[in-house]
Amino acid sequence: MSKSFFPWFGLDIGGTLVKLVYFEPKDITAEEEEEEVESLKSIRKYLTSNVAYGSTGIRDVHLELKDLTLCGRKGNLHFIRFPTHDLPAFIQMGRDKNFSSLHTVFCATGGGAYKFEQDFLTIGDLQLCKLDELDCLIKGILYIDSVGFNGRSQCYYFENPADSEKCQKLPFDLKNPYPLLLVNIGSGVSILAVYSKDNYKRVTGTSLGGGTFFGLCCLLTGCTTFEEALEMASRGDSTKVDKLVRDIYGGDYERFGLPGWAVASSFGNMMSKEKREAVSKEDLARATLITITNNIGSIARMCALNENINQVVFVGNFLRINTIAMRLLAYALDYWSKGQLKALFSEHEGYFGAVGALLELLKIP
Amino acid sequence: MTCLIKGCNFVLKNIPHEAFVYQKDADPEFRFQTNHPHIFPYLLVNIGSGVSIVKVETEDRFEWVGGSSIGGGTFWGLGALLTKTKKFDELLHLASRGQHSNVDMLVQDVYGGAHQTLGLSGNLIASSFGKSATADREFSKEDMAKSLLHMISNDIGQLACLHARLHSLDRVYFGGFFIRGHPVTMRTITYSINFFSKGEVQALFLRHEGYLGAIGAFLKGAEQDNPNQYSWGENYAGSSGLMSTSPELGPAQRARSGTFDLLEMDRLERPLVNLPLLLDPPSYVPDTVDLTDDALARKYWLTCFEEALDGVVKRAVASQPDSVDAAERAEKFRQKYWNKLQTLRQQPFAYGTLTVRSLLDTREHCLNEFSFPDPYSKVKQRENGVALRCFPGVVRSLDALGWEERQLALVKGLLAGNVFDWGAKAVSDVLESDPHFGFEEAKRKLQERPWLVDSYSRWLQRLKGPPHKCALIFADNSGIDIILGVFPFVRELLLRGTEVILACNSGPALNDVTHSESLIVAERIAGMDPVVHSALQEERLLLVQTGSSSPCLDLSRLDKGLAALVRERGADLVVIEGMGRAVHTNYHAALRCESLKLAVVKNAWLAERLGGQLFSVIFKYEVPAE
């Protein structure tokens, strides 16, 4: 039995998004309910009866894990996110709802746990328990994979990723998880090599991540949300923006096995004024997406080669609702590795850090 | 691709100081690499519109191992879209003035102060353009350009390191038109390589990065001719320097080249190789002082060469009295060389490491360009005539001396002869004003012992031992030097039973004796002296060319024939005379056999630097450590 007081939260404060997991106990006895503090009840009600909070908070209902048993308690695990930009509002809410009186420990990971520690304390009167983000990430993934997704597989891959018609999302049984290359694509990217539950290392990272895609898109197209950026990208044609191998060679560059459709120079056509004037915002958005995604795939592939690992799991909120990127990663990894590497994805992609934080709270190893 | 690699191999092997390392806060920032005999294997990252990564294992074996679509085209394309700037160089200029932290999300932006947990420094970029996803701010062109430059350079550096690691390579050369000697770009790439490889991989840039493909194409076309059988040199007159098209340069420097760079290379008729007697060829650096490093010395020598220019121009005109346009050409030469000197004042690294040798060679190349291949030819002829007439007398008086006295007299003769150097201002002043300044006077005026560097006693001791098998002598000036100084010295060695290889310049430089001149002089002397005559007949005295047309001496680029002869005859003594060959270069050269380095320091500044005065004597006798 956990000695932790409700509410049970796990917090992951990233560069762009705050991820929050909340365990809603469903096995509350009548006695417990009697003793329950008002503020705790109202928190539970607030979180579970809404799917949106304020103007930017979202609860991903489709990800809710039902009938989970955690530390002997049965309940549902909820997944909530909101922009880090609005964290002050969250802290303020915590103050207004008197969180501090609940004596709960806030387990938080991500850079923001450090950056906002003072704010939590001074404004919300809340003590944060800061946790290492990579530890939490690994813990979170392993746990979620073990409990599955309401009976379905957490982990999946794409068959025929390049073919719009034949492309299928299929479950993948991660029965031999180790070794694993974990590519976490948030604002930035971290790449980890995982050898066992307790043995992993950060191999490298790149600053060309989700934040870059979103940032560049905003500058190039004037879009304001991630959803908008992806929506534009889905309607664009990146080949108008990029210079392909066939644009330079007239076809394939056979000597080095470079297919004509490969991008030789991202945004390469934009050196010309006429072409700049001929592309649409959608084309630019698409090109940005393709460029960032291909680059991540490339780096991931090189790391996999150097570390001798052939399973690569891509997680992080860059991939949220981003089927284009996922399919591209799947295809690129398969193509350039000549089928040696497999790209895997996860339903709860961006929440693992927060889950890991929750597990720390509950001292679940 | 083939052309690219051919071109890259070519420049790495043939252009001295082609590759360099860039360290922003070091002084100097540019560190040039000497041509390492073993350049393979290496990783070439060619950054054009896109990026190609090639592993080069041998001259003919190379493999495209990867690439990236994020390259120069991306910088230009995205840069144009974001900043509305159309020109590539302008984008770089904007970038050099930007603050990327306004646009990028740094680790410290995510973590606040404490970022040790990830083991990353707060200044690292966590997410490029991570701060620009907001509608309520405008971002400056400069900041966006800088961010873009960092993004691309870091990405390329990272990919290069991943490939280097996979193929166990520790050197990465960067080619292509993206870098263009731009400090910000080189700094970021160098930093990126250091970071991602934890200091294990070295980033090297090429001065002629953009020419690799074209050079390769040329070589392929010239394949019939087998270009690799030749040696090549960079012609400083015809080549513009590093960063010559940089927008940072003043208009004066850019005047000639406009918006493009030039590279001119001289094809030398005979291949050049290392002197077999060098102790450690890979670490041999001919130059004694690095002027890119030593600012004081650099300022002195640049001024010295500027001041000498008038005299050189006069000499050039005077050497072609029958030419109608000599004066016009001489003025063009003056302008050209003057501009080169000014370029070097601003960018000492323009042609690689700056040395007195490169300044001298540049002058020779410029003179050649304006058809003044040998301005001293008449002077040399006149002095040879005078000296030849004195030769019998000098030899007679030497023969009359006792053995020990003669050895000293011979050395003094060598030194005194070396005083007659039109290249040195101090001497040319005297020679201009007093044409009868003679050999005897020079000997008398020689510094008294102990000399500035004086190992004569050890040399004398050595002479009491067995004769050397074969001596290799690098001659310096024409006239009195070669005839009254060197030849008597050579004669003595021959009498002792030592063979002599006399090496002279392949082409003219100042009043240095050339190989073809030495043949004539030897013949004339043989006509007067039986010792020299029989030595020539019996091939105990051999005259060869050095492969050089410089007043200085690079022992790693010598005529193949000379090297072969050195090996064949088992040369065990090397004699280098003159400031150019024994002081400006090779002063610290380490050889595998005994060596003599002699010179009279004819430059007051240099003499003072070495701890002496004008006309100080250097007599360095060295024996290799066991």
Side-chain angles (χ1 to χ4, degrees):
Chain A
M1 286 293 259
S2 170
K3 296 196 182 74
S4 305
F5 289 100
F6 282 125
W8 292 352
F9 280 121
L11 208 56
D12 176 0
I13 311 175
T16 307
L17 292 174
V18 178
K19 284 73 74 177
L20 179 69
V21 295
Y22 166 66
F23 179 78
E24 176 203 6
K26 285 301 241 195
D27 58 353
I28 299 179
T29 61
E31 275 172 66
E32 247 186 303
E33 186 131 20
E34 274 272 330
E35 291 178 356
E36 206 180 26
V37 179
E38 200 45 48
S39 50
L40 185 55
K41 196 177 287 183
S42 87
I43 288 168
R44 195 169 68 243
K45 267 211 147 70
Y46 177 65
L47 290 176
T48 57
S49 51
N50 289 303
V51 293
Y53 313 96
S55 51
T56 55
I58 306 268
R59 179 161 65 96
D60 284 316
V61 182
H62 65 288
L63 292 180
E64 188 179 320
L65 289 179
K66 297 194 190 328
D67 301 326
L68 210 60
T69 304
L70 263 180
C71 277
R73 302 298 307 247
K74 249 193 144 94
N76 298 335
L77 200 57
H78 297 280
F79 297 85
I80 298 164
R81 58 183 157 86
F82 58 92
T84 308
H85 183 258
D86 297 330
L87 188 63
F90 175 80
I91 300 176
Q92 190 61 48
M93 184 178 78
R95 181 200 185 81
D96 297 340
K97 292 206 191 297
N98 246 312
F99 270 21
S100 52
S101 66
L102 296 169
H103 307 295
T104 189
V105 177
F106 256 90
C107 274
T109 185
Y114 294 79
K115 185 172 178 188
F116 297 103
E117 186 182 16
Q118 270 305 106
D119 291 342
F120 268 93
L121 199 57
T122 51
I123 301 171
D125 196 18
L126 295 162
Q127 178 77 45
L128 283 186
C129 168
K130 304 189 297 291
L131 303 163
D132 176 73
E133 73 176 74
L134 300 180
D135 276 344
C136 289
L137 176 63
I138 304 281
K139 261 197 148 81
I141 285 189
L142 296 176
Y143 175 76
I144 294 287
D145 187 64
S146 70
V147 300
F149 185 14
N150 299 331
R152 292 148 43 207
S153 174
Q154 168 69 216
C155 187
Y156 62 93
Y157 71 103
F158 287 94
E159 182 107 313
N160 302 316
D163 191 329
S164 307
E165 265 147 61
K166 294 206 193 120
C167 181
Q168 268 193 303
K169 178 176 152 178
L170 296 172
F172 187 84
D173 181 2
L174 205 55
K175 54 181 183 280
N176 297 317
Y178 309 116
L180 185 68
L181 196 73
L182 187 60
V183 181
N184 186 28
I185 316 174
S187 310
V189 183
S190 276
I191 300 185
L192 318 174
V194 188
Y195 303 103
S196 79
K197 184 161 75 79
D198 305 300
N199 182 12
Y200 72 87
K201 69 174 185 192
R202 184 178 187 276
V203 176
T204 188
T206 171
S207 68
L208 283 79
T212 314
F213 161 66
F214 191 24
L216 275 177
C217 251
C218 287
L219 289 172
L220 292 170
T221 69
C223 67
T224 50
T225 67
F226 185 68
E227 287 78 0
E228 201 186 332
L230 283 182
E231 204 271 327
M232 282 179 144
S234 69
R235 290 184 286 124
D237 178 8
S238 59
T239 63
K240 292 217 188 98
V241 181
D242 296 334
K243 195 169 265 188
L244 309 181
V245 168
R246 63 171 179 246
D247 293 332
I248 302 176
Y249 280 89
D252 302 336
Y253 184 6
E254 280 164 24
R255 171 102 194 256
F256 294 104
L258 285 174
W261 52 257
V263 181
S265 175
S266 294
F267 288 86
N269 277 345
M270 301 292 91
M271 298 190 269
S272 135
K273 183 164 188 257
E274 290 86 45
K275 298 216 171 102
R276 277 204 293 277
E277 286 165 2
V279 296
S280 67
K281 290 183 153 69
E282 287 77 11
D283 298 334
L284 291 174
R286 182 70 170 232
T288 311
L289 182 61
I290 300 295
T291 303
I292 298 295
T293 308
N294 270 329
N295 191 54
I296 294 172
S298 204
I299 294 174
R301 184 176 66 86
M302 289 307 298
C303 285
L305 277 175
N306 272 320
E307 302 296 320
N308 264 312
I309 299 178
N310 58 15
Q311 314 185 104
V312 186
V313 179
F314 292 94
V315 298
N317 275 312
F318 171 66
L319 298 174
R320 186 179 69 82
I321 60 166
N322 198 347
T323 322
I324 302 176
M326 288 194 281
R327 283 172 55 193
L328 184 54
L329 283 170
Y331 179 72
L333 222 66
D334 180 67
Y335 181 86
W336 295 107
S337 73
K338 298 195 193 3
Q340 294 300 304
L341 300 177
K342 202 166 186 77
L344 302 168
F345 306 90
S346 221
E347 300 284 358
H348 286 84
E349 61 225 334
Y351 285 104
F352 298 119
V355 171
L358 176 63
L359 296 175
E360 253 318 297
L361 171 72
L362 303 176
K363 302 279 187 280
I364 297 177
Chain B
M1 191 72 53
T2 315
C3 288
L4 184 71
I5 303 307
K6 259 190 144 51
C8 193
N9 290 341
F10 181 83
V11 301
L12 285 176
K13 283 195 285 200
N14 288 290
I15 305 190
H17 302 157
E18 173 63 29
F20 61 95
V21 170
Y22 180 80
Q23 287 155 311
K24 173 196 164 215
D25 295 315
D27 181 26
E29 302 148 308
F30 296 80
R31 280 242 168 265
F32 294 91
Q33 311 279 300
T34 46
N35 294 75
H36 204 283
H38 312 297
I39 57 174
F40 305 109
Y42 65 86
L43 197 71
L44 174 66
V45 177
N46 196 52
I47 316 175
S49 305
V51 182
S52 289
I53 302 180
V54 185
K55 173 182 178 183
V56 186
E57 289 178 48
T58 69
E59 182 70 47
D60 305 299
R61 207 169 64 235
F62 55 87
E63 197 195 334
W64 181 92
V65 292
S68 167
S69 65
I70 299 182
T74 315
F75 180 68
W76 197 344
L78 257 180
L81 287 167
L82 291 170
T83 67
K84 312 278 181 281
T85 305
K86 291 174 225 158
K87 299 218 179 88
F88 188 83
D89 281 323
E90 276 179 48
L91 270 173
L92 285 175
H93 194 48
L94 283 174
S96 68
R97 299 203 313 255
Q99 283 285 90
H100 76 99
S101 52
N102 290 332
V103 177
D104 292 337
M105 186 188 288
L106 308 181
V107 169
Q108 67 200 17
D109 292 321
V110 184
Y111 272 80
H115 29 72
Q116 292 87 347
T117 33
L118 265 181
L120 297 171
S121 145
N123 283 326
L124 281 176
I125 305 173
S127 178
S128 295
F129 286 90
K131 286 188 177 143
S132 48
T134 164
D136 46 317
R137 278 178 59 194
E138 286 274 308
F139 298 92
S140 78
K141 290 182 179 171
E142 289 80 1
D143 293 347
M144 288 194 288
K146 185 82 185 289
S147 202
L148 198 54
L149 184 61
H150 274 295
M151 184 178 106
I152 294 175
S153 303
N154 279 331
D155 192 53
I156 294 174
Q158 180 174 34
L159 228 39
C161 284
L162 286 168
H163 279 95
R165 181 161 161 220
L166 191 63
H167 298 281
S168 309
L169 296 167
D170 61 1
R171 270 175 302 139
V172 179
Y173 291 99
F174 287 92
F177 261 113
F178 177 66
I179 299 171
R180 303 150 86 74
H182 238 265
V184 183
T185 316
M186 290 194 290
R187 192 190 324 156
T188 320
I189 290 182
T190 302
Y191 177 85
S192 173
I193 295 272
N194 275 339
F195 178 79
F196 286 109
S197 73
K198 298 192 186 19
E200 289 179 10
V201 174
Q202 194 179 48
L204 292 147
F205 303 96
L206 301 171
R207 279 198 291 129
H208 299 101
E209 59 182 11
Y211 296 97
L212 307 182
I215 292 177
F218 163 77
L219 290 171
K220 253 208 115 59
E223 221 142 67
Q224 298 256 20
D225 218 13
N226 190 3
N228 277 318
Q229 70 178 314
Y230 301 103
S231 285
W232 298 74
E234 184 178 6
N235 184 311
Y236 299 126
S239 304
S240 53
L242 188 61
M243 278 179 76
S244 63
T245 56
S246 162
E248 259 90 40
L249 274 184
Q253 277 90 44
R254 288 175 65 191
R256 242 205 83 117
S257 54
T259 55
F260 49 89
D261 286 319
L262 291 167
L263 170 63
E264 184 176 324
M265 296 196 69
D266 294 328
R267 192 185 73 182
L268 308 166
E269 285 310 308
R270 298 155 68 95
L272 301 176
V273 299
N274 267 321
L275 178 69
L277 297 166
L278 277 175
L279 186 62
D280 183 34
S283 66
Y284 168 70
V285 173
D287 306 286
T288 309
V289 179
D290 178 348
L291 297 178
T292 27
D293 199 353
D294 188 335
L296 232 52
R298 175 167 79 240
K299 283 197 177 59
Y300 170 74
W301 286 109
L302 282 170
T303 308
C304 191
F305 277 87
E306 275 170 10
E307 287 173 356
L309 202 42
D310 268 345
V312 175
V313 170
K314 267 207 210 81
R315 167 72 38 217
V317 176
S319 73
Q320 295 178 359
D322 302 325
S323 158
V324 173
D325 64 347
E328 198 188 317
R329 280 182 289 117
E331 271 316 300
K332 288 198 182 136
F333 153 74
R334 178 207 294 277
Q335 200 53 54
K336 178 131 206 181
Y337 190 57
W338 176 266
N339 286 342
K340 293 280 174 195
L341 290 175
Q342 300 323 303
T343 303
L344 290 167
R345 269 197 194 279
Q346 299 300 317
Q347 287 144 275
F349 46 77
Y351 296 99
T353 306
L354 184 63
T355 59
V356 177
R357 176 169 64 112
S358 61
L359 288 171
L360 286 165
D361 289 349
T362 305
R363 193 166 68 186
E364 294 302 318
H365 292 171
C366 289
L367 281 167
N368 279 329
E369 181 161 327
F370 294 101
S371 306
F372 291 107
D374 194 2
Y376 289 86
S377 81
K378 293 214 166 45
V379 170
K380 286 190 281 183
Q381 274 176 38
R382 207 169 51 232
E383 287 185 9
N384 282 345
V386 168
L388 282 168
R389 279 197 291 280
C390 300
F391 182 79
V394 166
V395 165
R396 255 197 315 274
S397 52
L398 282 168
D399 283 345
L401 296 170
W403 184 85
E404 223 177 277
E405 254 192 286
R406 183 162 64 249
Q407 303 315 310
L408 185 58
L410 283 167
V411 164
K412 278 191 167 169
L414 255 181
L415 293 164
N418 191 241
V419 169
F420 289 82
D421 179 352
W422 283 87
K425 185 172 189 305
V427 176
S428 60
D429 279 349
V430 172
L431 288 170
E432 295 271 12
S433 62
D434 183 1
H436 296 297
F437 181 76
F439 185 50
E440 297 307 320
E441 283 213 44
K443 271 199 282 196
R444 276 197 293 276
K445 282 192 153 62
L446 218 51
Q447 184 194 18
E448 286 295 317
R449 288 190 68 201
W451 294 322
L452 183 57
V453 176
D454 194 333
S455 22
Y456 179 74
S457 311
R458 280 192 294 119
W459 170 246
L460 185 63
Q461 206 47 39
R462 172 63 187 84
L463 286 176
K464 291 179 183 161
H468 295 92
K469 183 165 191 303
C470 172
L472 168 62
I473 304 182
F474 289 99
D476 189 6
N477 305 309
S478 251
I480 292 175
D481 190 346
I482 185 93
I483 296 170
L484 300 181
V486 176
F487 262 94
F489 186 82
V490 165
R491 190 173 166 277
E492 184 73 10
L493 285 170
L494 290 168
L495 281 169
R496 279 166 63 85
T498 304
E499 290 187 335
V500 174
I501 301 172
L502 184 59
C504 302
N505 267 12
S506 298
L510 294 169
N511 68 325
D512 290 4
V513 59
T514 64
H515 170 64
S516 39
E517 286 161 16
S518 73
L519 291 172
I520 300 173
V521 163
E523 207 187 299
R524 296 282 304 274
I525 291 181
M528 297 186 269
D529 180 87
V531 177
V532 170
H533 179 84
S534 56
L536 277 174
Q537 293 269 31
E538 293 156 24
E539 292 192 0
R540 285 179 291 113
L541 169 58
L542 303 140
L543 278 65
V544 296
Q545 53 176 305
T546 60
S548 161
S549 302
S550 164
C552 297
L553 183 63
D554 180 353
L555 294 173
S556 67
R557 281 163 68 89
L558 292 177
D559 187 83
K560 201 167 176 180
L562 192 170
L565 206 53
V566 162
R567 255 189 237 106
E568 195 190 297
R569 296 300 173 111
D572 55 353
L573 171 68
V574 173
V575 180
I576 311 179
E577 61 143 358
M579 269 205 334
R581 295 177 183 76
V583 178
H584 290 311
T585 49
N586 299 306
Y587 195 66
H588 301 298
L591 298 170
R592 284 204 257 130
C593 64
E594 294 172 52
S595 65
L596 263 182
K597 296 169 190 171
L598 315 105
V600 174
V601 185
K602 287 157 283 192
N603 177 288
W605 181 92
L606 183 60
E608 204 186 298
R609 256 259 174 139
L610 293 168
Q613 292 176 324
L614 186 59
F615 298 125
S616 286
V617 172
I618 300 206
F619 185 91
K620 217 180 184 199
Y621 169 58
E622 288 166 309
V623 174
E626 270 318 306

